[in-house]
Amino acid sequence: MGKQSNTQKISWTKGKCLGKGSFGTVSLAINELDGSFFAVKCVDLATCLPNQLESLENEIRILRSFSSPFVVEYLGDDVTSYEFLTTSYRNLHMEYFQGGTVVDFGAFKRRLADVDERILRWQTRCLVSALKYVHGQGIVHCDVKGKNALVGSDLATVKLADFGSAVDIKMESAGNRCMSLITPRGSPLWMAPEVIRGEYQGPESDVWSLGCTVIEMVTGKPAWEDQGFNSLSRIANSDELPELPTQLSELGKDFVKKCLRRDRNQRWSCDQLLQHPFLASASPPNTTKGSSPRCVLDFANSDFEEDENTENVDDSARERICKLATVRGVVWESDGWMAVRSLSFLRVSSVNCEEGINTEYLESMRTGLEFPDCFDGSNSVEWQCGNSEDVRGLKSSSVRLRCDFSALRSHGYRSENVELAVDKGEFRFYRYCNLLLQLFLSNLRIFRYILYLIFVLITTLLQLFLSNLINPKLSQSTQA
Ligand SMILES: Nc1ncnc2c1ncn2[C@@H]1O[C@H](COP(=O)(O)OP(=O)(O)OP(=O)(O)O)[C@@H](O)[C@H]1O
């Protein structure tokens, strides 16, 4: 599929959800003109938080400027509107990866046998090559982890994705980054010690996260056990290193150790890592190609919904799509951002949004955490959560709330307490209004009638009340 220019509008249809992250929902999509597939990351402009849109715009800007066989390919971006222009989405179009993430792939291999180190070495090599390219462009990824390494249908293709948290270090003077406290970006359990301490986040920090990712690829779990704040303290301040998987060869262990040096100046660069014997002789696995669907006719379980953006539709493509498409109403992400955030204390792994949430990683590990609120200058916990009053007292933004939650977990509070805090937060009014709007716009006509009746009732009562107030005598004589 050729690159769309970002101004060129294409007609496309959104399909099943591929994954949900903290910054967007990724769905399968089909280009109605040529029947090719792509992945689309969408942010609902009406309900998103400012940092979600910012992150998507950041990713669009960065991916658009990249061209590497190791980085997910940008295919275009647009804004789509539905329901008489009342709902709009900002969309990023990317190449679609059928093989899931390296963690899903690792899990599949683990079910079959012990970890296949040949494939591990090749996939790691692809990731290091990706980071070498990214760093060469003056960008730090800031969120390297298994979930952001996507696997192609041939299993030999592994590309780095999710540049929402990436920073352009060309634009920031190195001096500033080192001297001032930085706002950590990324997923806490993959963060380098210097990042959690708020001191520095550069290419070396991505290499630390890569070391954690290799462990994750072998074990299927994050390199550090999630113990809330304790884990962050251990990563930031102790001399400990994560446990190296016993299944990994000595060569593999040595490679990981080179990534996980606590002193960032001692950590190996991507150039050095590519020369490490663990990667130097890595070769692509022999795989059988051909099972990957290339057009809609090859696709068995298509689950596509109509997009309103239907200019220039090729009739034959449309016919083919209509044969396969389901006619059910569009289920827009009404369970989207706010719902995901209010469930932030469940364990979330975003494999299939429609089948619900299954348990893998804690939401508190995810991108977007900001730690400065939680650490004082000496990097100790700034405050202790002594009782649930602390929770009730919160006027939480998502950022504060997450920090508070981590502290709560280490004190053994139940998650319900924290969910209350979400409701008491400043989102509440906004969320209810949004819910009403979503109901009104949804396909459930009954809600429209009920809301309409309530509206008529209120205006009638208001009219009566006002007429009484303005001219009570007149209304008395009318009653007489
Ligand atoms: N191009 C793609 N092809 C197939 N699946 C994808 C693609 N991009 C993303 N996904 C799926 O969607 C999930 C979420 O995507 P992504 O990590 O980019 O979102 P995010 O909101 O930035 O997440 P995070 O919370 O990690 O920051 C991925 O883990 C992956 O399973």
Side-chain angles (χ1 to χ4, degrees):
M1 191 183 348
K3 270 200 180 191
Q4 302 156 18
S5 102
N6 71 325
T7 49
Q8 181 196 340
K9 275 208 151 196
I10 62 147
S11 303
W12 55 276
T13 300
K14 188 155 86 166
K16 67 174 181 181
C17 176
L18 297 170
K20 258 185 183 178
S22 22
F23 289 101
T25 302
V26 181
S27 306
L28 183 61
I30 183 166
N31 181 332
E32 291 188 21
L33 276 176
D34 60 11
S36 58
F37 292 110
F38 61 95
V40 61
K41 190 187 267 193
C42 309
V43 163
D44 183 341
L45 292 174
T47 58
C48 71
L49 296 169
N51 68 332
Q52 290 167 340
L53 184 57
E54 232 171 72
S55 159
L56 187 65
E57 294 295 353
N58 187 44
E59 185 164 15
I60 290 172
R61 190 175 46 76
I62 290 176
L63 279 186
R64 199 191 280 153
S65 70
F66 279 178
S67 172
S68 160
F70 303 108
V71 173
V72 64
E73 191 183 356
Y74 161 91
L75 298 173
D77 62 279
D78 59 10
V79 176
T80 44
S81 296
Y82 311 92
E83 301 277 358
F84 307 109
L85 303 179
T86 51
T87 311
S88 302
Y89 289 86
R90 182 77 172 111
N91 311 304
L92 160 64
H93 305 191
M94 309 167 271
E95 71 181 298
Y96 165 53
F97 287 85
Q98 217 200 344
T101 71
V102 287
V103 187
D104 306 330
F105 176 75
F108 173 68
K109 291 297 293 182
R110 274 189 303 279
R111 275 204 302 274
L112 296 179
D114 273 351
V115 61
D116 185 336
E117 193 156 305
R118 208 165 77 86
I119 295 179
L120 175 76
R121 285 162 67 171
W122 175 252
Q123 294 190 332
T124 308
R125 190 181 168 87
C126 293
L127 287 182
V128 179
S129 306
L131 283 179
K132 179 184 155 144
Y133 172 81
V134 170
H135 296 163
Q137 301 295 306
I139 304 286
V140 180
H141 184 280
C142 299
D143 198 14
V144 177
K145 60 179 176 182
K147 203 183 134 207
N148 291 335
L150 302 176
V151 183
S153 58
D154 60 359
L155 306 183
T157 311
V158 172
K159 297 198 188 186
L160 189 59
D162 191 4
F163 284 78
S165 305
V167 282
D168 190 337
I169 44 174
K170 294 189 300 292
M171 305 206 330
E172 304 181 32
S173 86
N176 277 348
R177 268 193 88 71
C178 295
M179 278 159 61
S180 59
L181 266 188
I182 55 131
T183 303
R185 290 156 169 259
S187 306
L189 294 182
W190 286 258
M191 278 181 189
E194 68 274 9
V195 178
I196 296 182
R197 293 198 298 266
E199 292 169 1
Y200 172 91
Q201 188 156 24
E204 305 90 330
S205 320
D206 277 350
V207 170
W208 173 282
S209 308
L210 174 82
C212 295
T213 305
V214 175
I215 296 179
E216 185 193 4
M217 283 156 77
V218 177
T219 62
K221 290 185 286 198
W224 297 91
E225 198 187 333
D226 175 34
Q227 299 169 332
F229 246 57
N230 289 344
S231 308
L232 299 180
S233 277
R234 275 172 72 201
I235 303 171
N237 299 318
S238 75
D239 289 331
E240 288 177 59
L241 286 178
E243 203 179 311
L244 298 177
T246 47
Q247 311 93 299
L248 200 55
S249 66
E250 287 310 311
L251 209 56
K253 285 180 185 151
D254 185 71
F255 176 86
V256 173
K257 281 186 201 157
K258 300 283 191 287
C259 301
L260 295 180
R261 290 194 167 157
R262 283 194 161 267
D263 178 354
R264 68 169 193 271
N265 297 314
Q266 299 291 314
R267 246 169 255 157
W268 278 27
S269 68
C270 291
D271 269 329
Q272 288 174 305
L273 289 174
L274 285 171
Q275 303 303 320
H276 191 284
F278 185 64
L279 299 192
S281 57
S283 55
N286 295 328
T287 52
T288 43
K289 264 193 156 191
S291 60
S292 171
R294 287 278 169 255
C295 82
V296 72
L297 291 173
D298 303 334
F299 205 80
N301 297 317
S302 68
D303 185 14
F304 285 95
E305 300 153 356
E306 283 294 320
D307 192 302
E308 303 283 295
N309 180 13
T310 53
E311 297 133 0
N312 308 322
V313 178
D314 174 81
D315 279 338
S316 66
R318 186 189 263 290
E319 256 176 45
R320 283 186 295 148
I321 291 155
C322 287
K323 274 186 198 154
L324 292 166
T326 58
V327 241
R328 67 183 169 80
V330 178
V331 185
W332 299 121
E333 288 74 22
S334 53
D335 60 339
W337 286 115
M338 287 308 177
V340 168
R341 288 201 176 272
S342 69
L343 289 171
S344 40
F345 316 107
L346 296 176
R347 290 177 176 272
V348 175
S349 106
S350 50
V351 177
N352 187 341
C353 314
E354 282 173 357
E355 279 176 11
I357 294 162
N358 59 21
T359 61
E360 201 175 325
Y361 300 147
L362 272 176
E363 172 79 1
S364 65
M365 294 176 195
R366 309 180 78 198
T367 316
L369 268 174
E370 292 189 6
F371 295 103
D373 283 351
C374 306
F375 289 96
D376 61 19
S378 63
N379 297 318
S380 61
V381 179
E382 187 186 280
W383 54 271
Q384 297 290 317
C385 187
N387 56 51
S388 57
E389 283 303 312
D390 290 341
V391 182
R392 284 198 211 113
L394 274 178
K395 282 274 179 248
S396 44
S397 69
S398 59
V399 168
R400 281 292 316 220
L401 179 77
R402 286 171 175 222
C403 288
D404 297 335
F405 168 64
S406 302
L408 269 175
R409 258 178 58 85
S410 64
H411 285 77
Y413 281 92
R414 284 164 60 82
S415 57
E416 285 87 338
N417 293 342
V418 190
E419 260 187 85
L420 272 179
V422 180
D423 278 343
K424 284 172 190 289
E426 56 212 29
F427 292 140
R428 189 164 62 173
F429 178 68
Y430 178 65
R431 284 177 63 189
Y432 288 155
C433 290
N434 184 43
L435 185 69
L436 278 180
L437 185 71
Q438 294 287 336
L439 283 175
F440 189 69
L441 296 175
S442 71
N443 288 340
L444 297 171
R445 266 197 218 145
I446 184 85
F447 279 111
R448 293 188 194 192
Y449 291 135
I450 292 172
L451 285 175
Y452 180 71
L453 280 178
I454 293 173
F455 178 73
V456 170
L457 199 71
I458 290 174
T459 46
T460 315
L461 286 175
L462 207 66
Q463 234 174 356
L464 273 176
F465 176 74
L466 284 177
S467 63
N468 251 338
L469 202 71
I470 294 166
N471 201 344
K473 278 184 190 162
L474 186 71
S475 65
Q476 272 167 15
S477 63
T478 323
Q479 276 168 18

